[in-house]
Amino acid sequence: GHPLEFVTRPDGSVIERDERDYSTVPMTNDGSKAESTQETSRSVVVSRPNGTQVSVSSSAAIPNVPMTFEQLEFLATTEGLEIR
């Protein structure tokens, strides 16, 4: 899929937001059909001008909801996450 949105921050960082809906079907040992689960996943990738990327994602089975884009962005833009 394509990212939902790209945002360029004043410091030159680029924030990419993406959301996907999908189904999961667990494997069973006896070959019987398992119940599929509908899930939603949201992700935020921050690309800094120095080349560092930070990716944060959250998934949840419907009717639950994953973390908001704002929450994910807050985590991804926290200072000091770069590996030194």
Side-chain angles (χ1 to χ4, degrees):
H2 298 286
L4 291 176
E5 182 179 20
F6 284 100
V7 176
T8 302
R9 296 181 58 175
D11 68 0
S13 297
V14 177
I15 298 173
E16 176 184 326
R17 294 177 169 191
D18 198 9
E19 181 173 279
R20 299 165 191 262
D21 293 317
Y22 56 92
S23 296
T24 59
V25 180
M27 299 295 289
T28 61
N29 291 332
D30 62 5
S32 64
K33 286 196 168 190
E35 200 64 32
S36 69
T37 303
Q38 297 291 110
E39 296 189 13
T40 299
S41 175
R42 289 188 185 126
S43 64
V44 169
V45 178
V46 177
S47 301
R48 300 194 189 278
N50 66 6
T52 301
Q53 277 194 333
V54 177
S55 176
V56 181
S57 63
S58 176
S59 300
I62 295 170
N64 300 307
V65 294
M67 294 172 71
T68 66
F69 284 119
E70 291 75 18
Q71 291 169 320
L72 294 170
E73 191 174 314
F74 174 82
L75 293 172
T77 56
T78 300
E79 290 298 319
L81 292 179
E82 294 85 7
I83 296 172
R84 300 184 193 282

